[in-house]
Amino acid sequence: MTAAQLVAVGASLFDRRLTHGRTGNISIKERGRILVTPTGVSLGALDALSEIDDEGRHVSGPPPTKEAFLHAAVYRARPDAGAVVHLHSTHAVAVSCLADVDPADVLPPLTAYYAMRVGKLPLLPFHAPGDPALGPLAEEAARTHHALLLANHGSLVAGPDLLTAADAAEELEETARIHLLLQGHRTTVATVDEPEENR
């Protein structure tokens, strides 16, 4: 995955309203380098990327997203990860605001693709965007889950490559939308093997 491909994926996520305004951030890791989207830039208008180290510190390029530490935390927890996608997609954020959910597994596996691409989805407690106190919590949770939901905030998904991570984040958003549409209705769940990333 190249920097140009990261820019293209960012534009696709933005154009399909999977994140809005100047929210969300994505990164790739290859040959020991972590490239992440800069601060204050829409995913639909990327023209340069930032480089950070494995602690989330700025190495080169424009200043990185204030949530670079989250990307670094996930890469430390999951050495095989090649990409991280953090979105503020509408339905996932809505689910992250619900009371009385199971923080160990926020969304039921309503579809086979969600069960395969996401699996169990823990909810991390609310921290203001950019609060470094969230880093250790994300790192711990990411050791056993490749997809996380941040309370009142959005999703954070890792994958072996950017397209796989983006697919899982999109599947999470679609399942959140279905879950909200089904509120008040009895449902069944899809039972398939847990995703490889969670094993």
Side-chain angles (χ1 to χ4, degrees), residues 23-191:
T23 67
N25 35 78
I26 57 180
S27 67
I28 56 173
K29 182 177 183 180
E30 56 182 5
R31 294 186 296 278
R33 295 180 69 210
I34 300 172
L35 297 178
V36 65
T37 50
T39 189
V41 176
S42 165
L43 293 188
L46 295 171
D47 58 8
L49 298 174
S50 306
E51 182 179 353
I52 59 171
D53 66 15
D54 61 4
E55 294 297 323
R57 293 179 295 242
H58 186 203
V59 173
S60 65
T65 169
K66 65 185 171 190
E67 295 174 323
F69 69 92
L70 283 176
H71 294 254
V74 172
Y75 288 124
R76 289 193 304 272
R78 307 188 72 83
D80 293 338
V84 174
V85 173
H86 169 48
L87 300 177
H88 296 195
S89 54
T90 302
H91 300 92
V93 172
V95 167
S96 83
C97 298
L98 293 175
D100 303 320
V101 295
D102 178 0
D105 192 11
V106 184
L107 277 176
L110 294 170
T111 69
Y113 281 107
Y114 177 83
M116 291 185 295
R117 291 180 177 164
V118 178
K120 286 190 170 72
L121 181 67
L123 178 70
L124 300 188
F126 176 74
H127 289 73
D131 182 348
L134 184 57
L137 300 177
E139 185 171 355
E140 180 62 29
R143 289 194 179 104
T144 51
H145 300 86
H146 73 285
L148 312 172
L149 193 61
L150 312 180
N152 303 82
H153 188 158
S155 61
L156 184 67
V157 181
D161 57 71
L162 186 54
L163 294 180
T164 302
D167 281 348
E170 188 166 357
E171 196 66 44
L172 193 163
E173 168 63 8
E174 280 299 300
T175 301
R177 185 174 70 87
I178 293 167
H179 177 67
L180 294 168
L181 286 170
L182 291 171
Q183 289 292 294
H185 298 276
R186 295 179 63 209
T187 61
T188 59
V189 295
T191 53

